[in-house]
Each structure stands twice: as C-alpha cells, then as structure tokens.
Amino acid sequence: MVVMKFGGSSVANAERIRYISELVKAELSRKPVLVLSAMGDTTDHLLEAAERALKDPVVSMDKIEELHLKTIKELGLAAPVVEEIRPLLGELRNLLVGISLIKELTGRTKDYLVSFGERLSVRIVAAYFNVQGVPARALDSWDAGFLSDSNFTAAELLPESWSLIPQALIPLIQGGILPVVTGFIARDGAGNITTLGRGGSDLSATTIAAACGAEEAQIWKDVDGILTADPRLVPEALPVVTITYDEAAELAYFGAQVLHPRAMQPCSKTGTPVLVKNSYNSGAPGTRITAVLDQKTGPVQAITSRKKVTLVDIVSSRMLGQYGFLEEVFSAFAKYHISVDMVATSEVSVSLTLDTDYDLGLLKKDLAKIAAVEIKTGKAIVTIVGDIRRSSNILAQAFGVCADLEIPVQMVSQGASKVNISFIVNDTQAADVVRALHRIFFEKKPESGGSISKSR
Ligand code: ASP
Ligand code: MG
C-alpha cells in the first residue's frame, strides 16, 4: 500500500485532476490511498467569505460554488455528484448566514467552515475515478478513523486514531476500492469538526501511511521536492535528493513552506519513507525523507529563513550561580501561552525568540520584576540544516559570510539534535545572508569548495 497526498494546486481544476488521476492509475498495483487538500485556494476563499460575512449582511460564496460546479461539469461528471455536493454547499451557505447574523467567528466555527473545502474536493475526485472505472470512495476523515482533541485550528490526533485508521481503510483497499480521504480535518470525541492547522493534510497523509504500515507516503506538491533554499530568494536553489526526518522537520519549522512542521512525526516513528514529488513535473526524482540518508551528501542540506521574529533579551545578575531563575523566566512565558522558539543563555542572561504576533505587554511587566528585559522586533532567523556535528567548518563559513556582508549576528543557537544551526539577523538582511550562504555551500566550484564537500 502507498499513500498519495495531493495539495491544493494539484487538484486546483479539472485539468489538474485529470492529470493526477493518471499518476494514481500508474500506481494502482501498489494499492494507493489518496489524501486530498481543498481545491486550489479554497481554504483561503472560505476564510475570506467568513471575514466578509462578519461585516456584510449579504453572504457571498460565488467563487467557491463556481469553481466546484464548473470542475464537475468539465470532468463530465453526472448528476449524482451534483446531488452530493449541493447539500454541502447549502450547509456552507447557512453557516455563512449564521456567521453574518452572530458576527462571531470562533476557532470552532472556523474549523467547521474550512472543512467544506476538503469535503467537496474528495467527493469530486472520487466520482471522477468511478466514472473512469476505478472503484473509489470519498471519505470524510472521521469515517477513516481520524479522532482528535478539541484544540480547534491546531488539533492533535488522539492515539486511538492509530488503530481506527487501519480498521477503516484496510478492508476497503482489500476490497479493491480506492479510498479518497479528506486531509487537514478531523473530529473530536463530541463530534465537532477540527483541523490540524494550515497545511495539515501532509500530516493526515503521513499518519495514514504510518498507521497502516504503508510502503511510503508520497506528498505531491507544485515544486520539485524540498529545495536547498526558497527559490523566490535564490533562483539557483536545487532539490535535495535525500534528507532525514529530523532535518526535514527543522526545515519545515524554520520557514521552508514545503511540509507541515509536524508531518514528519508519524513516519519517523515507524520508519516509513516520505517522498516529496512535483505533480507539475512528475518525472523529477523529488526528495526522499528517511531515518538515515540514502546516499552521501554535502554537510549542508538546505538553508532557510523565517521573518517577523521577536528577540527578547533578559539580563539579571541574580542568575549568577543561582538555581530556579530560568524556571521563573519560562513560567512567565507559559503563563501567557507564548511559545518560545530559539534559546541561548550565558551565566547572567537569556536570549530567546518568539513569533511577532504575541502581545508582550503583560509578560514584560512580569519579567521586569526579576530582570532587565529588552524586546526587539523585526528580526529574522536564518537556519542552516545539515549534519552540523560533522563540520565545524560550517560555523566558520557561516560567520565568515556575515562578516563579509558586515551583518552583525545577534544570537546563535544549535539544537541538541545537531541538525541545525540558527542565528538571528535583522529582517531586512535575511535575504542577503541566505543568498550568500547558498553561494558558498551549493554554488561553489568543486576545486574551491574542497573542505566542505569532503567532510561528510
Ligand atoms: N487546505 C488546507 C490549507 O490550505 C490544508 C492543506 O492544504 O494541507 O491549509
Ligand atoms: Mg491548501
């Protein structure tokens, strides 16, 4: 069995759906399970419709309705699909009317709202397979064993899902049916619809693959796999051929937008390979993610950056030789539900980074009781992912780059996993640093790059 996940752009319209159906048909002997995102930008369009409903009394969802009905028509699908889709569109309209009346959009309502995207796409695609003589069944993820907690907009799957998913899917596959499952969404114990966070259908796919003991999880995107850098910043970026779960997770976390940050977890537990492929360029080999690398690579795998980061510097002489000080600092962050990303400490100071969207007023007041606090916004985290342990050259070269550009490095941190080294620069300098790092680690001619290419 293999899991094939197609993101929004891979099922964006009738033409794309026809194309991916050929990819799936070529894999039929491997018994695929499909996991789909909402068509194109439907998730965004749903959220926009809700934002409008909050302001306007007249509900409009034309874009969404048009896209789905047009696709059904262009795929030559008959009346039964339209009959399946109509009630969903009707329910969606009612929900939008409800939002416009109550003028309130809670996390719970948001999840219910965006769920329509995936619920529509699986029904259309399953119908298309059936028309072509491939018996397929559309499944809402809760009918495929997905059970989550009630943390709306960022739900976690409950451990029961690991046995419920194969119980639901294996009999279908054995019966020669192609399951077409909604990514991204789940349901809690009380029956409320939840979502796993934006981009969450990657996680849905890797969970199915791991729970069912699949041969591999294929994640079909619109780029040639994980790239050595963001191609919008670095046009010379190349696909990474082989990468570990840990490296891929760090990359996702620190800003490479190819995979959902938590998507590696299920497959790294079971050792199920994850393959990232391009549905616009299916011949390209893509990126293979496994526990150990399939082949030799240079010490650096990829470079990424994340902007809009806040740096918090906390200095107190009380830290000297004391215990419990860090606990006080971190409890303050916990109290206000602020998630800390990078941390670096010295004997008398702690520096840490956060996403910018937190309100830090109260936190600052609390911390000011125990230390001097300085909050600096407009920072970026630049992350080098690779086997950092293997080469202290990486550090030397990275700092050399910043020195050459006369860009001060404001904080450095190396994770215990030893697969990343991250440092902070100003937001406005991040692109230059990433480009320069990419040049020395990936674009240098072999004769001048001696020490880096040999070290792994
Ligand atoms: N449709 C959802 C989103 O756009 C989930 C996904 O695509 O993975 O975030
Ligand atoms: Mg999407």
Side-chain angles (χ1 to χ4, degrees):
M1 170 195 161
V2 292
V3 174
M4 301 177 81
K5 180 255 159 172
F6 293 97
S9 68
S10 303
V11 291
N13 52 41
E15 190 202 325
R16 299 303 304 153
I17 292 174
R18 269 193 215 104
Y19 185 78
I20 63 137
S21 82
E22 295 305 318
L23 296 175
V24 175
K25 283 195 250 167
E27 292 278 65
L28 278 183
S29 64
R30 294 175 81 194
K31 304 207 176 299
V33 170
L34 303 197
V35 175
L36 303 185
S37 291
M39 291 178 65
D41 294 327
T42 299
T43 308
D44 291 328
H45 294 158
L46 285 163
L47 290 169
E48 283 158 24
E51 290 301 330
R52 278 198 306 274
L54 286 175
K55 293 182 212 118
D56 280 343
V58 187
V59 159
S60 80
M61 48 177 272
D62 298 351
K63 241 196 262 178
I64 298 160
E65 203 162 57
E66 255 171 52
L67 172 69
H68 292 89
L69 294 175
K70 186 173 149 220
T71 304
I72 291 174
K73 205 167 148 204
E74 286 178 5
L75 289 173
L77 300 175
V81 204
V82 183
E83 274 157 38
E84 229 187 313
I85 294 291
R86 283 261 180 237
L88 281 177
L89 291 172
E91 191 183 334
L92 170 60
R93 183 171 294 278
N94 285 340
L95 175 60
L96 288 169
V97 170
I99 293 168
S100 80
L101 290 174
I102 309 173
K103 302 256 178 287
E104 192 177 271
L105 186 59
T106 60
R108 172 168 147 172
T109 307
K110 247 187 207 170
D111 281 355
Y112 175 28
L113 171 89
V114 293
S115 76
F116 286 95
E118 272 70 8
R119 287 153 82 195
L120 290 165
S121 70
V122 293
R123 283 166 172 79
I124 295 174
V125 172
Y128 184 58
F129 277 104
N130 281 315
V131 162
Q132 291 177 90
V134 178
R137 182 167 317 157
L139 293 167
D140 293 324
S141 68
W142 43 89
D143 294 326
F146 280 73
L147 185 67
S148 78
D149 62 17
S150 309
N151 187 13
F152 297 106
T153 74
E156 298 232 15
L157 294 175
L158 299 182
E160 292 94 297
S161 302
W162 280 73
S163 53
L164 291 170
I165 292 170
Q167 270 168 39
L169 293 179
I170 304 276
L172 287 178
I173 302 164
Q174 282 171 345
I177 291 170
L178 171 70
V180 186
V181 186
T182 55
F184 182 43
I185 62 178
R187 212 156 67 173
D188 69 7
N192 299 302
I193 296 178
T194 58
T195 65
L196 308 177
R198 290 306 303 267
S201 44
D202 293 341
L203 179 58
S204 311
T206 53
T207 303
I208 294 179
C212 295
E215 228 176 282
E216 68 188 19
Q218 304 175 359
I219 311 280
W220 291 83
K221 301 263 165 184
D222 53 9
V223 284
D224 282 347
I226 294 179
L227 301 182
T228 50
D230 181 342
R232 286 166 303 184
L233 291 184
V234 184
E236 295 80 7
L238 294 167
V240 177
V241 181
T242 166
I243 191 168
T244 66
Y245 299 117
D246 290 344
E247 290 169 344
E250 293 286 350
L251 267 181
Y253 186 69
F254 284 109
Q257 288 179 343
V258 184
L259 292 171
H260 185 280
R262 279 189 287 137
M264 289 309 116
Q265 285 171 8
C267 286
S268 74
K269 262 190 218 151
T270 53
T272 312
V274 179
L275 197 61
V276 184
K277 295 270 289 176
N278 188 352
S279 77
Y280 286 80
N281 184 16
S282 55
T287 300
R288 218 175 125 79
I289 312 170
T290 48
V292 283
L293 296 178
D294 290 348
Q295 62 190 69
K296 270 200 153 104
T297 64
V300 173
Q301 292 273 47
I303 297 154
T304 183
S305 61
R306 196 167 88 189
K307 293 176 107 178
K308 293 202 191 127
V309 168
T310 297
L311 178 63
V312 182
D313 285 332
I314 301 160
V315 183
S316 168
S317 52
R318 257 190 60 204
M319 236 179 111
L320 204 83
Q322 283 287 334
Y323 54 83
F325 182 79
L326 285 177
E327 188 189 356
E328 280 181 63
V329 169
F330 286 107
S331 340
F333 286 90
K335 180 172 162 196
Y336 298 109
H337 298 261
I338 296 170
S339 158
V340 170
D341 294 337
M342 281 169 61
V343 184
T345 70
S346 80
E347 198 45 54
V348 292
S349 69
V350 196
S351 294
L352 36 85
T353 69
L354 322 163
D355 283 337
T356 296
D357 31 312
Y358 292 111
D359 181 357
L360 300 179
L362 291 173
L363 172 89
K364 195 172 173 186
K365 253 196 197 149
D366 278 14
L367 286 177
K369 291 180 199 148
I370 55 168
V373 183
E374 213 180 321
I375 294 174
K376 301 168 187 162
T377 53
K379 304 294 169 188
I381 302 178
V382 174
T383 301
I384 300 174
V385 169
D387 197 350
I388 307 300
R389 239 173 351 185
R390 298 286 279 273
S391 174
S392 38
N393 254 330
I394 297 175
L395 260 174
Q397 287 178 298
F399 290 135
V401 160
C402 293
D404 288 348
L405 295 170
E406 293 178 19
I407 289 174
V409 171
Q410 300 167 40
M411 170 183 168
V412 186
S413 145
Q414 178 176 347
S417 59
K418 305 286 187 280
V419 301
N420 76 301
I421 161 109
S422 294
F423 52 91
I424 300 288
V425 296
N426 284 342
D427 237 348
T428 47
Q429 298 162 332
D432 285 341
V433 175
V434 170
R435 275 191 283 266
L437 288 173
H438 196 271
R439 228 173 289 129
I440 62 155
F441 288 122
F442 296 103
E443 297 163 42
K444 252 184 164 178
K445 303 258 173 341
E447 58 271 20
S448 55
S451 60
I452 0 175
S453 48
K454 258 190 293 180
S455 54
R456 187 167 174 177

